[in-house]
């Protein structure tokens, strides 16, 4: 599903286009995006350990008769801020000031700023966003990580007996039970997995 720029009322107009992956983990409210680039940013938000939650176009900014809904409202433990996915010069000049007047920090993200390996890994994981690892599989894997400190992805798959192994592993990453490096290389059998500690 995609969303075109806001109508004169400030409400987003929904079109029939769909952007993948469909699943989200920390999005509250409808997951609607203006473009695949915005969807990719949503994927990054879902695998960022500092992000508590995010929503799509849930706040409307206004300047006289003009309206704009930022792509994302993002919540961290210490701040809530607005994010727009942009190409150079694509935002009205008044948006940043309107965000400040509303009490929000405003950021823009362009395609060139996205870490492409992290985007690909996040999209691969989010294909399994609707899955949940069985309790027995989760305990088995966490106990093994406690014993060994870290295991490769290939070694972790042996812990899953009730859940499909890749789906279960992805679920545990997305729900922050375990962690792996998403920045240096695409997830593979040799990728190291560790238990996430607060």
């Amino acid at each position: 599903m995609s969303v075109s720029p806001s109508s004169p009322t400030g409400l987003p107009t929904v079109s029939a286009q769909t952007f993948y992956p469909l699943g989200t983990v920390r999005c509250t409210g409808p997951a609607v995006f203006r473009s695949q680039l915005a969807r990719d940013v949503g994927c990054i938000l879902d695998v960022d350990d500092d992000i508590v939650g995010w929503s799509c176009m849930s706040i409307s900014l206004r300047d006289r008769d003009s309206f704009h809904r930022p792509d994302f409202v993002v919540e961290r433990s210490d701040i809530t801020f607005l994010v727009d996915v942009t190409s150079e010069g694509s935002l009205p000049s008044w948006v940043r000031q309107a965000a400040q007047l509303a009490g929000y920090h405003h950021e823009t993200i362009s395609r060139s700023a996205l870490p492409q390996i992290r985007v690909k890994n996040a999209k691969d994981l989010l294909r399994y966003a609707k899955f949940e690892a069985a309790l027995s599989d989760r305990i088995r894997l966490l106990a093994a990580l406690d014993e060994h400190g870290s295991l490769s992805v290939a070694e972790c798959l042996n812990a899953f007996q009730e859940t499909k192994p890749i789906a279960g592993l992805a679920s545990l990453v997305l729900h922050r039970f375990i962690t792996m490096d998403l920045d240096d290389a695409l997830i593979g059998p040799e990728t190291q997995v560790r238990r996430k500690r607060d």
Side-chain angles (χ1 to χ4, degrees):
M1 186 182 299
S2 69
V3 179
S4 62
S6 300
S7 68
T9 64
L11 298 174
T13 304
V14 179
S15 67
Q17 194 171 358
T18 300
F19 301 108
Y20 292 94
L22 297 178
T24 64
V25 178
R26 287 174 185 81
C27 178
T28 57
V32 290
F33 306 96
R34 289 187 174 100
S35 65
Q36 183 63 56
L37 180 57
R39 178 65 192 106
D40 290 351
V41 172
C43 293
I44 292 289
L45 295 175
D46 259 341
V47 297
D48 186 331
D49 288 342
D50 293 329
I51 302 300
V52 175
W54 54 278
S55 59
C56 299
M57 291 179 281
S58 56
I59 288 178
S60 182
L61 302 175
R62 180 175 180 173
D63 180 61
R64 298 179 183 172
D65 294 331
S66 298
F67 296 86
H68 174 71
R69 287 181 177 265
D71 288 300
F72 302 103
V73 179
V74 182
E75 181 185 355
R76 287 195 328 225
S77 60
D78 58 340
I79 190 174
T80 298
F81 59 100
L82 309 179
V83 175
D84 269 305
V85 181
T86 67
S87 55
E88 191 67 30
S90 64
L91 274 183
S93 59
W94 56 266
V95 168
R96 187 176 296 272
Q97 183 177 6
Q100 291 174 346
L101 290 173
Y104 295 101
H105 175 71
H106 181 268
E107 297 181 6
T108 58
I109 299 178
S110 63
R111 183 180 301 279
S112 62
L114 285 187
Q116 292 305 311
I117 291 176
R118 190 173 185 86
V119 169
K120 177 67 169 93
N121 283 331
K123 291 170 79 168
D124 284 344
L125 290 170
L126 284 163
R127 290 181 56 203
Y128 304 98
K130 301 301 183 187
F131 284 82
E132 184 174 345
L135 176 61
S136 61
D137 291 342
R138 186 177 81 212
I139 291 174
R140 194 177 296 110
L141 179 57
L142 295 181
L145 289 171
D146 283 342
E147 179 179 354
H148 297 284
S150 67
L151 295 169
S152 69
V153 164
E155 291 168 326
C156 289
L157 300 183
N158 296 323
F160 294 93
Q161 298 179 9
E162 295 186 45
T163 316
K164 292 181 179 179
I166 292 294
L169 188 70
S171 172
L172 292 178
V173 173
L174 292 170
H175 291 283
R176 299 178 178 170
F177 289 100
I178 60 176
T179 185
M180 61 176 68
D181 180 25
L182 301 179
D183 295 305
D184 290 341
L186 297 180
I187 298 168
E190 71 287 346
T191 301
Q192 291 297 298
V193 177
R194 293 174 176 80
R195 184 167 182 174
K196 187 167 187 326
R197 304 291 184 182
D198 294 330

